[in-house]
mmCIF file with all atom_site columns, all heavy atoms in Angstrom:
data_model
loop_
_atom_site.group_PDB
_atom_site.id
_atom_site.type_symbol
_atom_site.label_atom_id
_atom_site.label_alt_id
_atom_site.label_comp_id
_atom_site.label_asym_id
_atom_site.label_entity_id
_atom_site.label_seq_id
_atom_site.pdbx_PDB_ins_code
_atom_site.Cartn_x
_atom_site.Cartn_y
_atom_site.Cartn_z
_atom_site.occupancy
_atom_site.B_iso_or_equiv
_atom_site.pdbx_formal_charge
_atom_site.auth_seq_id
_atom_site.auth_comp_id
_atom_site.auth_asym_id
_atom_site.auth_atom_id
_atom_site.pdbx_PDB_model_num
ATOM 1   N N   . GLY A 1 349 ? 17.189 29.488 -12.075 1.00 86.00 ? 349 GLY A N   1
ATOM 2   C CA  . GLY A 1 349 ? 17.346 28.253 -12.833 1.00 86.00 ? 349 GLY A CA  1
ATOM 3   C C   . GLY A 1 349 ? 16.063 27.872 -13.546 1.00 86.00 ? 349 GLY A C   1
ATOM 4   O O   . GLY A 1 349 ? 16.079 27.463 -14.725 1.00 86.00 ? 349 GLY A O   1
ATOM 5   N N   . PHE A 1 350 ? 14.938 28.009 -12.840 1.00 81.00 ? 350 PHE A N   1
ATOM 6   C CA  . PHE A 1 350 ? 13.667 27.691 -13.479 1.00 81.00 ? 350 PHE A CA  1
ATOM 7   C C   . PHE A 1 350 ? 13.293 28.730 -14.527 1.00 81.00 ? 350 PHE A C   1
ATOM 8   O O   . PHE A 1 350 ? 12.591 28.415 -15.492 1.00 81.00 ? 350 PHE A O   1
ATOM 9   C CB  . PHE A 1 350 ? 12.558 27.541 -12.436 1.00 81.00 ? 350 PHE A CB  1
ATOM 10  C CG  . PHE A 1 350 ? 12.363 26.126 -12.016 1.00 81.00 ? 350 PHE A CG  1
ATOM 11  C CD1 . PHE A 1 350 ? 12.843 25.685 -10.801 1.00 81.00 ? 350 PHE A CD1 1
ATOM 12  C CD2 . PHE A 1 350 ? 11.740 25.213 -12.852 1.00 81.00 ? 350 PHE A CD2 1
ATOM 13  C CE1 . PHE A 1 350 ? 12.690 24.369 -10.418 1.00 81.00 ? 350 PHE A CE1 1
ATOM 14  C CE2 . PHE A 1 350 ? 11.581 23.898 -12.477 1.00 81.00 ? 350 PHE A CE2 1
ATOM 15  C CZ  . PHE A 1 350 ? 12.051 23.464 -11.264 1.00 81.00 ? 350 PHE A CZ  1
ATOM 16  N N   . ALA A 1 351 ? 13.746 29.962 -14.354 1.00 81.00 ? 351 ALA A N   1
ATOM 17  C CA  . ALA A 1 351 ? 13.502 30.964 -15.389 1.00 81.00 ? 351 ALA A CA  1
ATOM 18  C C   . ALA A 1 351 ? 14.201 30.558 -16.682 1.00 81.00 ? 351 ALA A C   1
ATOM 19  O O   . ALA A 1 351 ? 13.622 30.662 -17.778 1.00 81.00 ? 351 ALA A O   1
ATOM 20  C CB  . ALA A 1 351 ? 13.999 32.326 -14.911 1.00 81.00 ? 351 ALA A CB  1
ATOM 21  N N   . ILE A 1 352 ? 15.432 30.099 -16.574 1.00 86.00 ? 352 ILE A N   1
ATOM 22  C CA  . ILE A 1 352 ? 16.148 29.647 -17.773 1.00 86.00 ? 352 ILE A CA  1
ATOM 23  C C   . ILE A 1 352 ? 15.467 28.414 -18.354 1.00 86.00 ? 352 ILE A C   1
ATOM 24  O O   . ILE A 1 352 ? 15.344 28.273 -19.582 1.00 86.00 ? 352 ILE A O   1
ATOM 25  C CB  . ILE A 1 352 ? 17.624 29.389 -17.425 1.00 86.00 ? 352 ILE A CB  1
ATOM 26  C CG1 . ILE A 1 352 ? 18.298 30.712 -17.065 1.00 86.00 ? 352 ILE A CG1 1
ATOM 27  C CG2 . ILE A 1 352 ? 18.348 28.714 -18.591 1.00 86.00 ? 352 ILE A CG2 1
ATOM 28  C CD1 . ILE A 1 352 ? 19.694 30.582 -16.538 1.00 86.00 ? 352 ILE A CD1 1
ATOM 29  N N   . TYR A 1 353 ? 14.983 27.526 -17.485 1.00 86.00 ? 353 TYR A N   1
ATOM 30  C CA  . TYR A 1 353 ? 14.210 26.373 -17.952 1.00 86.00 ? 353 TYR A CA  1
ATOM 31  C C   . TYR A 1 353 ? 12.978 26.839 -18.725 1.00 86.00 ? 353 TYR A C   1
ATOM 32  O O   . TYR A 1 353 ? 12.664 26.306 -19.804 1.00 86.00 ? 353 TYR A O   1
ATOM 33  C CB  . TYR A 1 353 ? 13.809 25.526 -16.742 1.00 86.00 ? 353 TYR A CB  1
ATOM 34  C CG  . TYR A 1 353 ? 12.820 24.416 -17.033 1.00 86.00 ? 353 TYR A CG  1
ATOM 35  C CD1 . TYR A 1 353 ? 13.258 23.176 -17.450 1.00 86.00 ? 353 TYR A CD1 1
ATOM 36  C CD2 . TYR A 1 353 ? 11.454 24.618 -16.859 1.00 86.00 ? 353 TYR A CD2 1
ATOM 37  C CE1 . TYR A 1 353 ? 12.354 22.139 -17.708 1.00 86.00 ? 353 TYR A CE1 1
ATOM 38  C CE2 . TYR A 1 353 ? 10.540 23.602 -17.108 1.00 86.00 ? 353 TYR A CE2 1
ATOM 39  C CZ  . TYR A 1 353 ? 10.999 22.364 -17.528 1.00 86.00 ? 353 TYR A CZ  1
ATOM 40  O OH  . TYR A 1 353 ? 10.092 21.361 -17.787 1.00 86.00 ? 353 TYR A OH  1
ATOM 41  N N   . GLN A 1 354 ? 12.291 27.840 -18.202 1.00 79.00 ? 354 GLN A N   1
ATOM 42  C CA  . GLN A 1 354 ? 11.109 28.355 -18.883 1.00 79.00 ? 354 GLN A CA  1
ATOM 43  C C   . GLN A 1 354 ? 11.475 29.003 -20.212 1.00 79.00 ? 354 GLN A C   1
ATOM 44  O O   . GLN A 1 354 ? 10.721 28.911 -21.187 1.00 79.00 ? 354 GLN A O   1
ATOM 45  C CB  . GLN A 1 354 ? 10.375 29.372 -17.992 1.00 79.00 ? 354 GLN A CB  1
ATOM 46  C CG  . GLN A 1 354 ? 9.739  28.782 -16.754 1.00 79.00 ? 354 GLN A CG  1
ATOM 47  C CD  . GLN A 1 354 ? 8.636  27.784 -17.073 1.00 79.00 ? 354 GLN A CD  1
ATOM 48  O OE1 . GLN A 1 354 ? 8.066  27.798 -18.160 1.00 79.00 ? 354 GLN A OE1 1
ATOM 49  N NE2 . GLN A 1 354 ? 8.340  26.921 -16.127 1.00 79.00 ? 354 GLN A NE2 1
ATOM 50  N N   . VAL A 1 355 ? 12.626 29.669 -20.269 1.00 82.00 ? 355 VAL A N   1
ATOM 51  C CA  . VAL A 1 355 ? 13.076 30.245 -21.535 1.00 82.00 ? 355 VAL A CA  1
ATOM 52  C C   . VAL A 1 355 ? 13.273 29.150 -22.578 1.00 82.00 ? 355 VAL A C   1
ATOM 53  O O   . VAL A 1 355 ? 12.832 29.262 -23.729 1.00 82.00 ? 355 VAL A O   1
ATOM 54  C CB  . VAL A 1 355 ? 14.389 31.034 -21.336 1.00 82.00 ? 355 VAL A CB  1
ATOM 55  C CG1 . VAL A 1 355 ? 15.026 31.370 -22.677 1.00 82.00 ? 355 VAL A CG1 1
ATOM 56  C CG2 . VAL A 1 355 ? 14.117 32.309 -20.558 1.00 82.00 ? 355 VAL A CG2 1
ATOM 57  N N   . VAL A 1 356 ? 13.941 28.073 -22.169 1.00 86.00 ? 356 VAL A N   1
ATOM 58  C CA  . VAL A 1 356 ? 14.176 26.969 -23.094 1.00 86.00 ? 356 VAL A CA  1
ATOM 59  C C   . VAL A 1 356 ? 12.857 26.319 -23.499 1.00 86.00 ? 356 VAL A C   1
ATOM 60  O O   . VAL A 1 356 ? 12.607 26.057 -24.688 1.00 86.00 ? 356 VAL A O   1
ATOM 61  C CB  . VAL A 1 356 ? 15.124 25.936 -22.445 1.00 86.00 ? 356 VAL A CB  1
ATOM 62  C CG1 . VAL A 1 356 ? 15.210 24.669 -23.285 1.00 86.00 ? 356 VAL A CG1 1
ATOM 63  C CG2 . VAL A 1 356 ? 16.506 26.542 -22.262 1.00 86.00 ? 356 VAL A CG2 1
ATOM 64  N N   . PHE A 1 357 ? 12.005 26.061 -22.516 1.00 84.00 ? 357 PHE A N   1
ATOM 65  C CA  . PHE A 1 357 ? 10.732 25.393 -22.780 1.00 84.00 ? 357 PHE A CA  1
ATOM 66  C C   . PHE A 1 357 ? 9.844  26.255 -23.681 1.00 84.00 ? 357 PHE A C   1
ATOM 67  O O   . PHE A 1 357 ? 9.323  25.791 -24.705 1.00 84.00 ? 357 PHE A O   1
ATOM 68  C CB  . PHE A 1 357 ? 10.031 25.112 -21.449 1.00 84.00 ? 357 PHE A CB  1
ATOM 69  C CG  . PHE A 1 357 ? 8.845  24.200 -21.551 1.00 84.00 ? 357 PHE A CG  1
ATOM 70  C CD1 . PHE A 1 357 ? 8.986  22.836 -21.412 1.00 84.00 ? 357 PHE A CD1 1
ATOM 71  C CD2 . PHE A 1 357 ? 7.574  24.714 -21.781 1.00 84.00 ? 357 PHE A CD2 1
ATOM 72  C CE1 . PHE A 1 357 ? 7.886  21.993 -21.513 1.00 84.00 ? 357 PHE A CE1 1
ATOM 73  C CE2 . PHE A 1 357 ? 6.474  23.894 -21.884 1.00 84.00 ? 357 PHE A CE2 1
ATOM 74  C CZ  . PHE A 1 357 ? 6.633  22.519 -21.746 1.00 84.00 ? 357 PHE A CZ  1
ATOM 75  N N   . ALA A 1 358 ? 9.674  27.515 -23.288 1.00 76.00 ? 358 ALA A N   1
ATOM 76  C CA  . ALA A 1 358 ? 8.813  28.396 -24.063 1.00 76.00 ? 358 ALA A CA  1
ATOM 77  C C   . ALA A 1 358 ? 9.427  28.724 -25.413 1.00 76.00 ? 358 ALA A C   1
ATOM 78  O O   . ALA A 1 358 ? 8.717  28.857 -26.416 1.00 76.00 ? 358 ALA A O   1
ATOM 79  C CB  . ALA A 1 358 ? 8.538  29.678 -23.281 1.00 76.00 ? 358 ALA A CB  1
ATOM 80  N N   . GLY A 1 359 ? 10.761 28.844 -25.447 1.00 80.00 ? 359 GLY A N   1
ATOM 81  C CA  . GLY A 1 359 ? 11.412 29.104 -26.725 1.00 80.00 ? 359 GLY A CA  1
ATOM 82  C C   . GLY A 1 359 ? 11.203 27.956 -27.692 1.00 80.00 ? 359 GLY A C   1
ATOM 83  O O   . GLY A 1 359 ? 10.949 28.173 -28.884 1.00 80.00 ? 359 GLY A O   1
ATOM 84  N N   . GLY A 1 360 ? 11.296 26.734 -27.166 1.00 85.00 ? 360 GLY A N   1
ATOM 85  C CA  . GLY A 1 360 ? 11.029 25.572 -28.016 1.00 85.00 ? 360 GLY A CA  1
ATOM 86  C C   . GLY A 1 360 ? 9.615  25.585 -28.558 1.00 85.00 ? 360 GLY A C   1
ATOM 87  O O   . GLY A 1 360 ? 9.369  25.300 -29.737 1.00 85.00 ? 360 GLY A O   1
ATOM 88  N N   . GLN A 1 361 ? 8.658  25.931 -27.680 1.00 81.00 ? 361 GLN A N   1
ATOM 89  C CA  . GLN A 1 361 ? 7.269  25.975 -28.120 1.00 81.00 ? 361 GLN A CA  1
ATOM 90  C C   . GLN A 1 361 ? 7.004  27.142 -29.068 1.00 81.00 ? 361 GLN A C   1
ATOM 91  O O   . GLN A 1 361 ? 6.327  26.991 -30.089 1.00 81.00 ? 361 GLN A O   1
ATOM 92  C CB  . GLN A 1 361 ? 6.340  26.079 -26.907 1.00 81.00 ? 361 GLN A CB  1
ATOM 93  C CG  . GLN A 1 361 ? 6.205  24.781 -26.126 1.00 81.00 ? 361 GLN A CG  1
ATOM 94  C CD  . GLN A 1 361 ? 5.044  24.839 -25.162 1.00 81.00 ? 361 GLN A CD  1
ATOM 95  O OE1 . GLN A 1 361 ? 4.996  25.694 -24.290 1.00 81.00 ? 361 GLN A OE1 1
ATOM 96  N NE2 . GLN A 1 361 ? 4.108  23.924 -25.307 1.00 81.00 ? 361 GLN A NE2 1
ATOM 97  N N   . ALA A 1 362 ? 7.549  28.318 -28.732 1.00 75.00 ? 362 ALA A N   1
ATOM 98  C CA  . ALA A 1 362 ? 7.277  29.506 -29.545 1.00 75.00 ? 362 ALA A CA  1
ATOM 99  C C   . ALA A 1 362 ? 7.889  29.385 -30.934 1.00 75.00 ? 362 ALA A C   1
ATOM 100 O O   . ALA A 1 362 ? 7.206  29.544 -31.957 1.00 75.00 ? 362 ALA A O   1
ATOM 101 C CB  . ALA A 1 362 ? 7.807  30.753 -28.837 1.00 75.00 ? 362 ALA A CB  1
ATOM 102 N N   . PHE A 1 363 ? 9.185  29.085 -30.983 1.00 82.00 ? 363 PHE A N   1
ATOM 103 C CA  . PHE A 1 363 ? 9.835  28.996 -32.287 1.00 82.00 ? 363 PHE A CA  1
ATOM 104 C C   . PHE A 1 363 ? 9.412  27.731 -33.030 1.00 82.00 ? 363 PHE A C   1
ATOM 105 O O   . PHE A 1 363 ? 9.381  27.714 -34.264 1.00 82.00 ? 363 PHE A O   1
ATOM 106 C CB  . PHE A 1 363 ? 11.349 29.065 -32.110 1.00 82.00 ? 363 PHE A CB  1
ATOM 107 C CG  . PHE A 1 363 ? 11.842 30.432 -31.768 1.00 82.00 ? 363 PHE A CG  1
ATOM 108 C CD1 . PHE A 1 363 ? 12.235 30.732 -30.476 1.00 82.00 ? 363 PHE A CD1 1
ATOM 109 C CD2 . PHE A 1 363 ? 11.866 31.428 -32.720 1.00 82.00 ? 363 PHE A CD2 1
ATOM 110 C CE1 . PHE A 1 363 ? 12.673 32.007 -30.149 1.00 82.00 ? 363 PHE A CE1 1
ATOM 111 C CE2 . PHE A 1 363 ? 12.294 32.705 -32.402 1.00 82.00 ? 363 PHE A CE2 1
ATOM 112 C CZ  . PHE A 1 363 ? 12.706 33.003 -31.115 1.00 82.00 ? 363 PHE A CZ  1
ATOM 113 N N   . GLY A 1 364 ? 9.079  26.683 -32.262 1.00 87.00 ? 364 GLY A N   1
ATOM 114 C CA  . GLY A 1 364 ? 8.536  25.496 -32.909 1.00 87.00 ? 364 GLY A CA  1
ATOM 115 C C   . GLY A 1 364 ? 7.206  25.795 -33.577 1.00 87.00 ? 364 GLY A C   1
ATOM 116 O O   . GLY A 1 364 ? 6.964  25.412 -34.729 1.00 87.00 ? 364 GLY A O   1
ATOM 117 N N   . ALA A 1 365 ? 6.317  26.508 -32.858 1.00 81.00 ? 365 ALA A N   1
ATOM 118 C CA  . ALA A 1 365 ? 5.015  26.858 -33.440 1.00 81.00 ? 365 ALA A CA  1
ATOM 119 C C   . ALA A 1 365 ? 5.194  27.719 -34.676 1.00 81.00 ? 365 ALA A C   1
ATOM 120 O O   . ALA A 1 365 ? 4.524  27.522 -35.696 1.00 81.00 ? 365 ALA A O   1
ATOM 121 C CB  . ALA A 1 365 ? 4.166  27.585 -32.395 1.00 81.00 ? 365 ALA A CB  1
#
Side-chain angles (χ1 to χ4, degrees):
F350 266 104
I352 294 173
Y353 171 87
Q354 292 296 339
V355 167
V356 171
F357 191 91
Q361 286 194 301
F363 287 105

